[in-house]
Amino acid sequence: MLTGTTTSGDGSGRDPDVTQPQEKTAQFASTPRGARLARRLAVRCLEEWGRPPASDVSCTVALVVGELAANAVRHGRVPGHDFRLRIALDEAAGLVRIELADAAAAKQPPAAPPSSCPDGESGRGLLLVDVLAECWGWKPRDPVGKTVWAEVAIDGTR
């Protein structure tokens, strides 16, 4: 199930010359399909915000959302609980912030990605996030769970 809200500068007495962050929040089933839908939503949001799907920032955000959503489904899944995606574009800061929240408080990401690729077919997700994002991390989520976040530069440079 997908639910969400979008907010942006609404002219509510704010200086019109100051760009307000735009954001979208949506909830997805903790399934591979939910992860795919989260990635598609991120690309659609960036397109609505003036970044075409083939742009560097859109492709980078799609990869980061895909990896974080896959981790939320694989490692953060709690039966009966969805995961939440929040994506925000902050033109002034030159960043897209991505947040994935799940209900698995006990399963925390490592403090840093692996220093080398493992021999297996998986385990490289946070390594990719570390390379593609300006910064990333996680924080506990109240009342239960955690939020893993990453920030991607709009201009694609690190």
Side-chain angles (χ1 to χ4, degrees):
M1 182 166 130
L2 169 66
T3 59
T5 58
T6 302
T7 59
S8 62
D10 58 3
S12 59
R14 297 184 184 118
D15 184 346
D17 295 329
V18 176
T19 304
Q20 299 298 318
Q22 299 180 63
E23 70 177 57
K24 176 82 171 177
T25 301
Q27 195 163 316
F28 299 91
S30 289
T31 63
R33 182 175 186 269
R36 282 191 309 273
L37 292 173
R39 187 180 68 244
R40 288 180 182 173
L41 176 67
V43 171
R44 190 169 59 235
C45 286
L46 286 168
E47 185 173 25
E48 289 172 7
W49 299 336
R51 305 305 192 286
S55 68
D56 287 344
V57 68
S58 184
C59 292
T60 300
V61 166
L63 283 169
V64 171
V65 168
E67 292 300 333
L68 295 181
N71 284 349
V73 169
R74 184 172 185 168
H75 304 293
R77 184 176 182 278
V78 173
H81 293 272
D82 296 337
F83 71 87
R84 181 181 53 86
L85 167 68
R86 178 182 170 271
I87 183 167
L89 172 67
D90 188 342
E91 296 272 3
L95 294 170
V96 176
R97 182 168 174 102
I98 301 155
E99 297 178 357
L100 264 286
D102 63 50
K107 295 181 180 177
Q108 300 171 356
S115 58
S116 63
C117 291
D119 292 334
E121 293 181 10
S122 63
R124 296 175 188 86
L126 287 179
L127 187 59
L128 285 172
V129 171
D130 189 58
V131 169
L132 295 171
E134 293 291 311
C135 56
W136 68 276
W138 72 277
K139 60 186 178 182
R141 189 179 83 172
D142 196 30
V144 65
K146 67 183 169 304
T147 299
V148 182
W149 57 268
E151 293 180 344
V152 174
I154 291 172
D155 63 11
T157 61
R158 210 179 145 133

